[in-house]
Amino acid sequence: MEGYKKKMNNLALKYRPKVFEDLVSQKEIVDILRYQLQTKTTKNSYLFTGASGCGKTTTARIFANDINEGKGQPYEIDAASNTGVDNVRKIIEQAAFKSIDSEYKVFIIDECHMLSLGAWNALLKVLEEPPKHSVFILCTTDPQKIIPTVLSRVQRFDFTRIPTTAIIERLLRIVDFEVREGKPIKYTREAIQVIAEQAKGGLRTAISLLDKALAYTQDLNYELTCKALSIMNKHDLDTITEYVFNNQQQDLLKSIDDIYMEGKDLKQFIKQWIDRTLEKQKEVIYGKFKSVNSYLSLLDALLNINNGIKYEDSPKELIEAELILFISSYANK
């Protein structure tokens, strides 16, 4: 197993799309960008916005490569660590000169919302009057932090979160590729689904979680995958819920103590419990089963607990106290 870990590549880098055909979702955006390439109507300034891991920077790189028909390399700037005016001035100076090895100079500015106000003001001038053979692609997870005068000068594309079903299919494809390359991996679709659900719509996040799980075990079944990702499995969450509904305070407190002693994040545990309780409540709403248990009241209690522990360094006692109070009030109804 140790030898296998050493041989493994970073899967997020290994399977990062290189062409538009390999992108997951974002079809409308890809269609527009392809049309601009085909009709030679590309713009000088773009803004790609969306949640982390949904394909903004990857799309920017593919677009930059296609603009120059595979020639040259885009200039990539991480605004999170290059926030100042001087950094932007260097970009402006480079943009003033035509590229030697390609038709366009393409600048990809990642996490652009981190730029200082002075840097934005400096960049604004070049966005207002861009050099003829330059293209700026700004990427951000936080577009509301970008000054309005910049927003009015870029063509904006809002990237959506990637559906869980699409993430599952891409992860299955990646694992199958790894198996064909000789990696000794076994897996179940249920385990892959757990990974996809934890990613919350971010494909890069999902692939990184897959990497983490494979570093823990080559047998990706449901139980081992939950352990690898340090998350609760649904069976254990349902058991804890039954402790609440059945007024089993001692069993409930022992379960929370076990979770704490295993080193799991109790705040993350509460969030997972909320997700599972919401899932069960939806089953009631959609009539999949009838239940005398009130998931709705438990959901309300867990949301209150989640809000209460948000800024707590040691939330264990607060969680226990709130749950005991809820159990007592629920039992007396």
Side-chain angles (χ1 to χ4, degrees):
M1 185 170 178
E2 288 301 318
Y4 171 68
K5 289 181 185 178
K6 289 176 182 176
K7 290 178 183 177
M8 276 191 65
N9 295 317
N10 182 312
L11 295 181
L13 292 176
K14 182 178 179 181
Y15 291 102
R16 190 165 198 163
K18 302 293 191 299
V19 293
F20 280 133
E21 288 79 5
D22 288 339
L23 284 173
V24 179
S25 295
Q26 320 305 348
K27 182 179 183 303
E28 292 78 10
I29 294 173
V30 169
D31 286 346
I32 293 171
L33 295 177
R34 276 178 160 167
Y35 178 79
Q36 291 183 0
L37 289 166
Q38 290 166 4
T39 57
K40 304 292 184 181
T41 55
T42 54
K43 311 304 176 185
N44 288 105
S45 306
Y46 294 86
L47 176 65
F48 292 175
T49 77
S52 177
C54 65
K56 302 181 299 299
T57 307
T58 296
T59 301
R61 290 174 178 173
I62 294 171
F63 188 48
N65 183 69
D66 287 358
I67 286 174
N68 283 318
E69 299 178 344
K71 299 174 183 177
Q73 290 290 327
Y75 296 83
E76 291 196 34
I77 301 97
D78 178 14
S81 53
N82 297 279
T83 62
V85 177
D86 290 341
N87 301 114
V88 172
R89 282 176 180 160
K90 289 178 182 177
I91 296 172
I92 295 170
E93 288 172 5
Q94 290 178 346
F97 299 97
K98 192 179 184 305
S99 175
I100 297 172
D101 55 1
S102 60
E103 185 175 357
Y104 294 93
K105 277 190 175 179
V106 184
F107 299 88
I108 299 173
I109 305 178
D110 212 359
E111 302 297 340
C112 66
H113 61 275
M114 298 292 287
L115 290 173
S116 66
L117 182 58
W120 274 122
N121 287 331
L123 186 61
L124 181 60
K125 183 172 179 59
V126 78
L127 293 179
E128 287 175 338
E129 300 175 4
K132 185 178 179 181
H133 292 278
S134 66
V135 176
F136 292 88
I137 307 175
L138 314 179
C139 302
T140 181
T141 56
D142 212 351
Q144 62 268 26
K145 290 184 179 178
I146 298 174
I147 58 177
T149 46
V150 169
L151 291 175
S152 66
R153 287 167 173 80
V154 296
Q155 186 168 88
R156 175 170 172 169
F157 291 95
D158 292 300
F159 286 65
T160 60
R161 291 184 184 274
I162 298 172
T164 300
T165 51
I167 293 177
I168 290 171
E169 293 309 312
R170 179 50 59 95
L171 293 182
L172 288 170
R173 183 177 165 187
I174 289 172
V175 174
D176 285 340
F177 271 126
E178 291 293 294
V179 170
R180 284 202 290 272
E181 287 185 355
K183 306 297 194 304
I185 300 171
K186 297 179 182 178
Y187 66 92
T188 65
R189 189 180 181 91
E190 187 180 23
I192 298 298
Q193 182 171 339
V194 169
I195 295 171
E197 289 172 347
Q198 288 299 306
K200 307 295 183 185
L203 181 57
R204 187 183 65 239
T205 303
I207 298 173
S208 295
L209 290 174
L210 173 63
D211 224 345
K212 180 180 180 182
L214 287 172
Y216 178 81
T217 177
Q218 299 163 56
D219 185 4
L220 290 180
N221 60 43
Y222 178 72
E223 296 290 337
L224 288 175
T225 300
C226 287
K227 285 185 178 180
L229 303 183
S230 298
I231 61 175
M232 301 288 295
N233 67 60
K234 292 181 179 181
H235 172 74
D236 290 343
L237 289 171
D238 289 345
T239 299
I240 293 171
T241 297
E242 288 304 312
Y243 290 156
V244 171
F245 288 146
N246 296 327
N247 196 17
Q248 295 173 249
Q249 296 188 25
Q250 188 173 348
D251 291 326
L252 174 66
L253 292 176
K254 184 179 185 307
S255 293
I256 294 173
D257 191 59
D258 288 344
I259 293 167
Y260 176 75
M261 293 306 293
E262 287 170 4
K264 290 188 173 70
D265 186 339
L266 287 176
K267 292 182 182 180
Q268 188 63 27
F269 155 65
I270 293 295
K271 289 178 180 177
Q272 291 168 32
W273 197 2
I274 288 172
D275 289 344
R276 181 58 176 165
T277 305
L278 179 59
E279 193 177 310
K280 301 295 283 187
Q281 179 60 27
K282 285 179 178 177
E283 290 177 356
V284 174
I285 293 171
Y286 296 134
K288 290 188 177 179
F289 68 88
K290 295 180 180 178
S291 173
V292 295
N293 296 328
S294 179
Y295 290 105
L296 195 59
S297 59
L298 176 59
L299 184 61
D300 182 59
L302 291 174
L303 287 170
N304 288 331
I305 290 172
N306 187 57
N307 288 331
I309 64 175
K310 195 173 293 183
Y311 303 108
E312 289 286 329
D313 293 329
S314 302
K316 182 172 181 285
E317 288 73 17
L318 184 57
I319 291 171
E320 291 173 335
E322 291 286 349
L323 286 173
I324 289 172
L325 288 172
F326 174 75
I327 288 176
S328 299
S329 63
Y330 182 85
N332 292 327
K333 285 184 180 180

